[in-house]
Amino acid sequence: WVFFCLALSFPFFCLFLASNSEAQKKSNFKIQKTEAEWKSQLTDLQYYVMRKQGTERAFSSPYDKNFLQGTYVCAACETPLFSSDHKFNSGTGWPSFDREIKGNVSFSVDYNIGMARTEEHCSNCGGHLGHMFSDGPRKTTGKRHCINGASLKFIASNEWK
């Protein structure tokens, strides 16, 4: 009986830990804004994804099939996050990369669906980007950074500052 009660309470405990760590994480980012400031700067979809850890519908982002040369930057603060050199077609319906631009993406663990996943954030503003999985291209890193297109802005190589 005790084991049964513990087993049932474990997912709720994980959700509690995830909620608690979320508040702690947000205070560590360089760019700090109020929710009202984020709402005025971002579109409704960007706010939902980046500030509420939401997920856009699969196959809804034009960046999923964008293979032009350039850099994907944070939609909220324009920190460079991913290079088109490391983008691949995962077939999942979200832009996918086998590696991030080192130092510009932060990682944490979330339990929002009752299991541990590696969550990705912009290291500068804390905006939620997506999740990292270990089912990417074996010939490179083996990682798949599954990123919401709403969290990104694409800057073509010939437009880069």
Side-chain angles (χ1 to χ4, degrees):
W1 172 253
V2 172
F3 178 77
F4 179 74
C5 290
L6 287 173
L8 285 178
S9 63
F10 182 73
F12 297 105
F13 177 70
C14 291
L15 288 173
F16 169 77
L17 288 178
S19 299
N20 190 28
S21 66
E22 188 64 34
Q24 293 170 348
K25 282 189 305 193
K26 289 190 182 215
S27 65
N28 295 329
F29 297 106
K30 182 178 174 183
I31 295 177
Q32 297 287 316
K33 294 185 180 187
T34 66
E35 291 304 304
E37 288 172 320
W38 285 122
K39 279 186 178 183
S40 70
Q41 176 186 336
L42 303 171
T43 67
D44 289 344
L45 179 59
Q46 288 172 328
Y47 181 80
Y48 167 70
V49 169
M50 299 184 79
R51 306 314 307 172
K52 298 298 180 185
Q53 290 70 39
T55 302
E56 68 191 6
R57 281 188 350 264
F59 302 101
S60 65
S61 172
Y63 295 143
D64 179 38
K65 299 297 183 196
N66 178 30
F67 289 97
L68 299 173
Q69 287 296 303
T71 303
Y72 292 85
V73 301
C74 176
C77 71
E78 296 197 353
T79 296
L81 302 170
F82 301 97
S83 168
S84 62
D85 293 337
H86 304 294
K87 187 170 187 302
F88 67 97
N89 183 6
S90 66
T92 61
W94 289 279
S96 297
F97 305 86
D98 71 353
R99 69 197 75 174
E100 77 283 4
I101 295 175
K102 294 287 182 205
N104 292 355
V105 176
S106 297
F107 301 92
S108 63
V109 177
D110 89 42
Y111 297 93
N112 292 343
I113 62 170
M115 60 182 262
R117 296 185 298 170
T118 303
E119 184 176 2
E120 301 189 51
H121 302 270
C122 171
S123 290
N124 203 28
C125 71
H128 171 76
L129 304 173
H131 292 87
M132 184 177 66
F133 302 95
S134 294
D135 61 358
R138 289 187 204 144
K139 292 182 180 180
T140 58
T141 63
K143 302 294 182 195
R144 174 173 54 95
H145 298 262
C146 187
I147 307 300
N148 289 285
S151 299
L152 302 172
K153 176 180 171 185
F154 178 73
I155 301 177
S157 293
N158 60 351
E159 297 173 12
W160 189 248
K161 304 173 194 176

